C-alpha cells in the first residue's frame, strides 16, 4: 500500500515553471532525506519528463507527492498533459526512438532511473506518466 | 540573457559551469564554444562541471556535440569534475558520453589535454627527448 502524505500541483507552461518545478522536486527530496544519488536520479528523470511535456505537449501539470509504503518514504511525480498522446508506446519506450530528432533516452532512461514507472497515453487525449523514487 | 564565460589561455579554452544548465544556456554555450574554437584555432577545450548537479540527455548531448564539433575543428575536449552521482545517473540513463574525455579536476584535465595535443610550449622535455631527435634526424 502506498500512502500519499503530501500533495502539491504545479502547472508547467513556460521555462520559469520548469525551473520552479525542479526546485520543488529537489526540496521535496531533501525534506524526506533522500540520498544524493537518488536525488540526482529523481531530478534527472523530472528534467526528462518535463522537457517532453513542454516539447511534445506544450506543457501540462506535475503533481509532487511524498509517499510512504511501510518502512520506505519516497517521492511520486505525476506528469499529465493534454497533448497529442503517444501512438506507439512500445516504440517510445525503446532506447533511441525519437520523433524529435533527439537521443530518445528520456522515457527508457527515466524508467531505468526510477523504482516505479507507469505510462498511459491516448492519441488525441494526452499522456500521464507516474514515477516513484524511494529514498 | 545569461551567458557562461569562456576564458582563453594560450591554445586552450576554459569553461567553468557554475550553475545548473537550462536548455537555452546550454545551447548558447555550445554555439559560443564552437565559434571560439573556430575563431581562435584553440587546440583544447576544458569544461569544468564540478558545480553541475544534473545532466540529463539534452545536456549530455550538448556536451557530446561540443566534443565532436571541436574534434572536427581539430581540438580535443576534456570534461572535468563530474560529480559521482551525475556519472552514475548518466550511465543508467544510457548516455555514457562516448568520445568525451574526462578527468578528475582542472589540473589533471589540463595535463590530459597537453598529452593529447602533444603540447611543447613552455616545456623542455620534447627538446631533450632522444626520440624527438631521432625523428628529425
Ligand atoms: N508527453 C508527451 N506527449 C507526446 N509524445 C511524447 C511525450 N513524451 C514523449 N513523447 C514521444 O516519445 C518519444 C520518446 O521520448 P524520449 O524517450 O524522451 O526521447 P526524445 O525526447 O529524445 O525524443 C518522443 O520522441 C515523442 O515522440
Ligand atoms: Mg525526451
Amino acid at each position: 500500500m502506498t500512502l500519499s502524505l503530501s500533495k502539491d500541483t504545479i502547472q508547467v507552461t513556460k521555462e520559469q515553471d520548469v525551473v520552479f518545478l525542479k526546485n520543488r522536486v529537489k526540496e521535496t527530496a531533501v525534506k524526506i532525506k533522500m540520498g544524493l544519488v537518488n536525488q540526482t536520479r529523481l531530478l534527472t528523470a523530472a528534467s526528462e519528463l518535463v522537457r517532453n511535456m513542454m516539447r511534445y505537449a506544450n506543457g501540462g501539470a506535475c503533481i509532487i507527492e511524498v509517499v510512504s509504503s511501510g518502512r520506505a518514504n519516497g517521492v511520486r511525480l505525476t506528469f499529465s498533459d493534454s497533448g497529442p498522446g503517444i501512438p506507439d508506446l512500445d516504440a517510445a519506450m525503446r532506447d533511441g526512438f525519437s520523433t524529435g530528432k533527439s537521443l530518445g533516452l528520456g522515457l527508457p532512461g527515466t524508467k531505468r532511473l526510477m523504482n516505479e514507472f507507469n505510462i498511459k497515453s491516448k492519441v488525441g487525449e494526452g499522456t500521464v506518466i507516474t514515477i516513484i523514487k524511494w529514498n | 540573457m545569461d551567458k557562461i564565460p569562456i576564458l582563453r589561455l594560450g591554445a586552450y579554452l576554459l569553461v567553468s559551469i557554475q550553475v545548473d544548465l537550462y536548455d537555452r544556456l546550454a545551447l548558447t554555450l555550445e554555439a559560443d564554444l564552437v565559434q571560439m574554437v573556430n575563431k581562435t584555432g584553440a587546440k583544447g577545450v576544458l569544461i569544468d562541471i564540478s558545480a553541475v548537479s544534473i545532466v540529463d540527455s539534452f545536456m549530455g548531448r550538448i556536451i557530446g556535440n561540443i566534443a565532436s564539433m571541436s574534434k572536427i575543428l581539430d581540438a580535443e575536449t576534456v570534461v572535468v569534475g563530474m560529480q559521482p552521482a551525475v556519472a552514475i545517473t548518466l550511465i543508467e540513463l544510457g548516455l555514457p558520453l562516448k568520445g568525451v574525455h574526462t578527468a578528475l579536476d582542472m589540473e589533471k584535465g589540463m595535463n590530459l589535454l597537453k598529452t593529447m595535443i602533444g603540447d611543447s610550449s613552455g616545456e623542455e622535455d620534447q627538446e631533450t627527448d632522444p626520440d624527438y631527435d631521432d625523428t628529425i634526424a
Side-chain angles (χ1 to χ4, degrees):
Chain A
M1 239 312 257
T2 301
L3 293 172
S4 176
L5 305 180
S6 78
K7 192 169 173 175
D8 198 359
T9 303
I10 292 163
Q11 301 295 329
V12 188
T13 51
K14 48 189 190 306
E15 202 163 316
Q16 292 104 287
D17 302 335
V18 172
V19 176
F20 181 76
L21 171 67
K22 287 182 188 171
N23 289 338
R24 291 310 284 270
V25 172
K26 167 121 197 189
E27 281 165 28
T28 309
V30 168
K31 197 167 73 189
I32 65 160
K33 301 193 171 63
M34 186 177 281
L36 179 64
V37 178
N38 281 347
Q39 264 185 52
T40 307
R41 290 179 173 122
L42 179 68
L43 271 145
T44 305
S47 184
E48 293 292 347
L49 297 183
V50 74
R51 170 169 304 106
N52 282 352
M53 205 163 74
M54 292 292 284
R55 186 156 164 206
Y56 303 115
N58 274 313
C62 178
I63 303 170
I64 305 174
E65 288 169 288
V66 173
V67 289
S68 168
S69 172
R71 56 227 170 291
N73 284 335
V75 175
R76 175 162 67 197
L77 303 178
T78 305
F79 292 85
S80 51
D81 65 62
S82 330
I86 302 173
D88 186 346
L89 272 184
D90 288 340
M93 288 306 298
R94 228 174 283 137
D95 276 339
F97 176 89
S98 175
T99 60
K101 295 203 179 85
S102 43
L103 294 176
L105 291 174
L107 293 179
T110 293
K111 186 171 182 185
R112 284 190 287 271
L113 291 170
M114 294 297 99
N115 297 115
E116 292 178 33
F117 177 97
N118 187 281
I119 182 165
K120 290 197 180 72
S121 191
K122 206 160 179 198
V123 173
E125 286 183 19
T127 302
V128 180
I129 300 173
T130 304
I131 56 176
I132 297 182
K133 191 72 202 172
W134 298 109
N135 61 351
Chain B
M1 198 183 119
D2 297 332
K3 240 181 198 300
I4 294 169
I6 301 170
L7 305 179
R8 185 175 173 192
L9 192 76
Y12 305 101
L13 298 178
L14 310 182
V15 179
S16 181
I17 303 174
Q18 292 297 324
V19 291
D20 276 318
L21 287 172
Y22 51 88
D23 295 7
R24 210 147 20 89
L25 195 58
L27 287 169
T28 309
L29 176 65
E30 176 185 6
D32 287 354
L33 253 182
V34 173
Q35 200 194 357
M36 278 277 268
V37 170
N38 199 13
K39 209 169 66 188
T40 63
K43 291 284 164 235
V45 177
L46 195 72
I47 306 175
D48 171 29
I49 61 165
S50 56
V52 175
S53 58
I54 303 294
V55 178
D56 69 3
S57 67
F58 181 85
M59 289 145 202
R61 179 164 76 144
I62 286 187
I63 294 172
N65 282 351
I66 290 171
S68 54
M69 288 193 267
S70 298
K71 186 87 190 170
I72 293 169
L73 297 169
D74 210 23
E76 297 289 345
T77 301
V78 173
V79 170
V80 304
M82 187 187 295
Q83 293 176 16
V86 171
I88 293 168
T89 301
L90 272 179
I91 289 169
E92 291 173 359
L93 196 60
L95 190 71
L97 290 186
K98 270 182 272 137
V100 180
H101 304 281
T102 54
L104 278 180
D105 55 36
M106 278 275 191
E107 190 178 351
K108 293 197 173 71
M110 206 61 187
N111 287 338
L112 178 59
L113 268 183
K114 283 183 182 159
T115 318
M116 284 191 295
I117 294 160
D119 180 21
S120 61
S121 60
E123 305 217 3
E124 286 161 291
D125 18 328
Q126 283 220 348
E127 252 100 281
T128 54
D129 187 349
D131 291 336
Y132 180 79
D133 290 340
D134 284 353
T135 50
I136 53 165

